[in-house]
Amino acid sequence: MPNTVLTYWKLHKVPILLSVLCGLFYYTFAYHLERPDFTRMVCLYATLFFLCYKLIQFEKWNFKLLLSLGMLFRLIFLLAIPNLSQDFYRFIWDGHLVILGENPYMYLPNEILEKSEIIIPQAQLLVEKMEPLSASNYSNYPPFSQFLFGLSVWLGGQNIVGGLISMRVLLLGADLGIFYFGRKVLKHLNKSPHMIFWYFLNPLVIIEISGNLHFEGVMLFFLLLAVYLVILNKWIIAAIPLALSISIKLIPLMFLPLFFKTLGLKKGMVFNTLVVLGILVTLVPFYDALFASHYFKSLSLWFSNFEFNASIYNIVKSLASSLEIKPWELIKVYGKIIPFMVIALVGVLTIFQKNQHPRTLITSMLIILTVYFFLSSTVHPWYLISLVLLCIFSEFRYPLVWSATVILSYSAYSNPEFKESMWLLVIEYLLVIGFLAYELFKRKGFKSLIPKN
């Protein structure tokens, strides 16, 4: 036994040392970093990204080691209070309402706190920590997300730390599912299975999902499972996980028309109908006459009130300011236009893209999300996790560059007035767009976006 350990050490001592360094940096990130400390954040993140690259480079065929490291790095965050996002306080608040049998779409947190008719443990603390904007608006998280919040709070003993632990275990399970089915899809596409580690060991994924408790991981697990089942021609069953994916985050809703080409018109119609019915089933427990008005009122805020880490929108805003157009007027108009532009893109890809092949289907999803994020006025770092997963099944790697540079967007929190640094945003997007242009040029232009069957 000692000889085996010694031999293993001699063969893998560099990756082991890199892994220890990674663990120390993740521990520092989780327990000794505050969001305003931007310089320290960037240094930690850049180092973690470099170490991630070296670990994959050295041990890409050692699946057991890299899988174990990915799990260990996530477990380091198990007891940490998220330090880059307050969203989890609203998750816990909504979870309490669910297990109390109350509808989270019907009540404003501030109203419940004032009336005291519904007793929620640590209510005052939760409302204070979720920030005024969240506390003064109805929940905008889709129905199946609410079920997951309720499950996490119930398993966690209805306290904050217990809820955090339950959420992290749930998110770890989802990432393990992505690892399992991701390898299967990669093998089906004749791509190297080790590419899944660019998701599983990616610092953005670990920090934003396991660290900051964003549920993109669960949404992507169900989306990937649906794609895998479609590949196996089990498209009727695939409608269930796709419906759940949409009922966690609405993003996959944009992909539904693509399946008309993948499955054919008749099967595609049946498939889309089943997905919509599945979404409606998750909505039934929360349905109320006021649901639509409350939900879409909160949802519209993201399109017409917020701006963060934008690219094209910032260019439009700069041009609008020279025409003396007020920013708050611009974003309301801009937010109404974007959905129509995305719908037009989806229509073009549905009609002209050969989505019968799984790689083409996934590439179409990648194109839609990329254009959507380039157009959006708000691109939070965790949004890009979807691009990271989709890109490993395609021929494009620019989302990996974006996952490395998006940390620059957190510079806004180092400013007491929450003011973004346009220079850092320019650097972020120049690197991303530059790498995308390089990949398109290397593959002879935009036709490379359409993989050959």
Side-chain angles (χ1 to χ4, degrees):
M1 187 70 176
N3 289 334
T4 304
V5 173
L6 185 61
T7 302
Y8 191 88
W9 165 255
K10 289 180 179 179
L11 292 173
H12 303 278
K13 61 182 178 182
V14 172
I16 290 173
L17 291 173
L18 293 179
S19 302
V20 172
L21 281 176
C22 262
L24 291 173
F25 284 126
Y26 276 122
Y27 178 82
T28 304
F29 209 109
Y31 299 96
H32 299 285
L33 177 70
E34 294 183 0
R35 191 165 60 178
D37 194 352
F38 177 67
T39 302
R40 192 180 191 190
M41 184 192 305
V42 169
C43 292
L44 284 170
Y45 189 83
T47 305
L48 284 168
F49 215 94
F50 174 75
L51 293 175
C52 165
Y53 164 72
K54 299 307 290 184
L55 281 172
I56 296 174
Q57 182 185 43
F58 286 133
E59 298 286 337
K60 62 183 178 182
W61 304 119
N62 194 341
F63 282 83
K64 289 183 179 179
L65 175 62
L66 294 187
L67 174 62
S68 301
L69 289 175
M71 293 173 63
L72 178 62
F73 296 155
R74 285 163 170 79
L75 290 173
I76 288 173
F77 288 88
L78 191 62
L79 299 176
I81 303 295
N83 52 10
L84 301 184
S85 171
Q86 288 82 36
D87 289 352
F88 75 98
Y89 288 109
R90 185 59 186 259
F91 300 166
I92 293 175
W93 177 274
D94 286 359
H96 277 296
L97 289 175
V98 170
I99 62 176
L100 288 171
E102 301 291 345
N103 192 330
Y105 300 110
M106 294 299 107
Y107 302 98
L108 297 174
N110 283 336
E111 289 179 348
I112 293 178
L113 200 63
E114 292 170 3
K115 295 180 180 178
S116 300
E117 295 175 359
I118 301 173
I119 306 301
I120 293 178
Q122 299 176 287
Q124 185 72 44
L125 176 65
L126 291 173
V127 171
E128 288 176 358
K129 292 291 188 178
M130 72 174 67
E131 296 186 340
L133 186 63
S134 181
S136 59
N137 282 284
Y138 298 102
S139 181
N140 69 321
Y141 301 105
F144 196 63
S145 288
Q146 302 291 352
F147 169 77
L148 296 176
F149 300 157
L151 178 64
S152 299
V153 171
W154 180 71
L155 291 174
Q158 301 188 40
N159 65 75
I160 293 177
V161 175
L164 293 179
I165 294 173
S166 298
M167 286 183 191
R168 288 195 168 110
V169 172
L170 179 65
L171 292 169
L172 173 59
D175 273 349
L176 288 174
I178 289 173
F179 177 85
Y180 178 79
F181 288 108
R183 287 188 65 196
K184 286 184 173 294
V185 174
L186 285 166
K187 289 177 181 178
H188 180 85
L189 298 176
N190 293 320
K191 298 178 72 68
S192 176
H194 86 270
M195 286 300 300
I196 194 61
F197 289 114
W198 277 110
Y199 173 88
F200 200 69
L201 290 179
N202 194 302
L204 178 69
V205 175
I206 294 173
I207 290 169
E208 294 294 358
I209 291 182
S210 293
N212 295 318
L213 297 173
H214 295 295
F215 275 69
E216 266 68 14
V218 187
M219 177 268 285
L220 289 171
F221 163 70
F222 284 116
L223 175 63
L224 186 60
L225 175 57
V227 171
Y228 177 67
L229 290 172
V230 168
I231 289 173
L232 297 181
N233 201 30
K234 298 179 180 180
W235 56 274
I236 293 179
I237 301 174
I240 299 173
L242 186 54
L244 294 178
S245 179
I246 295 169
S247 194
I248 294 170
K249 299 277 184 176
L250 296 179
I251 285 289
L253 192 62
M254 295 188 288
F255 305 149
L256 284 184
L258 301 177
F259 288 94
F260 284 114
K261 272 285 185 72
T262 306
L263 300 173
L265 187 60
K266 290 183 179 179
K267 289 183 179 179
M269 185 67 71
V270 175
F271 179 75
N272 277 269
T273 302
L274 290 174
V275 171
V276 172
L277 288 174
I279 297 169
L280 292 176
V281 168
T282 65
L283 176 61
V284 168
F286 304 103
Y287 179 76
D288 187 278
L290 295 174
F291 167 80
S293 62
H294 287 180
Y295 184 74
F296 289 108
K297 180 181 178 182
S298 295
L299 191 63
S300 65
L301 291 174
W302 305 126
F303 294 99
S304 59
N305 288 68
F306 301 134
E307 51 183 275
F308 179 80
N309 191 33
S311 54
I312 293 175
Y313 170 75
N314 276 324
I315 297 173
V316 173
K317 187 172 73 170
S318 178
L319 293 173
S321 65
S322 64
L323 300 174
E324 298 184 354
I325 299 175
K326 302 295 187 292
W328 56 87
E329 295 175 351
L330 171 68
I331 194 170
K332 290 184 182 297
V333 176
Y334 188 87
K336 292 176 181 178
I337 295 173
I338 295 307
F340 292 102
M341 297 178 69
V342 174
I343 290 170
L345 173 64
V346 172
V348 169
L349 291 176
T350 299
I351 296 170
F352 297 105
Q353 186 83 301
K354 297 179 180 180
N355 295 311
Q356 294 91 337
H357 193 279
R359 188 181 300 175
T360 316
L361 173 65
I362 295 172
T363 302
S364 295
M365 294 178 180
L366 180 65
I367 296 169
I368 290 168
L369 274 191
T370 299
V371 173
Y372 174 65
F373 291 148
F374 278 149
L375 291 172
S376 292
S377 60
T378 303
V379 184
H380 288 297
W382 56 90
Y383 293 2
L384 303 182
I385 292 172
S386 300
L387 293 182
V388 171
L389 180 63
L390 292 174
C391 85
I392 66 176
F393 305 109
S394 75
E395 302 301 320
F396 291 87
R397 301 292 174 259
Y398 65 89
L400 300 181
V401 176
W402 205 350
S403 70
T405 60
V406 73
I407 195 69
L408 297 176
S409 66
Y410 276 115
S411 64
Y413 295 99
S414 64
N415 190 313
E417 299 178 356
F418 189 74
K419 186 177 181 180
E420 293 182 290
S421 169
M422 288 300 116
W423 285 110
L424 290 178
L425 290 186
V426 167
I427 292 171
E428 174 191 343
Y429 281 103
L430 276 181
L431 289 171
V432 174
I433 295 171
F435 195 83
L436 172 58
Y438 162 74
E439 290 196 299
L440 289 172
F441 177 78
K442 187 172 69 171
R443 292 173 174 80
K444 298 181 181 179
F446 287 96
K447 289 184 179 180
S448 61
L449 290 170
I450 307 176
K452 295 179 180 179
N453 291 339

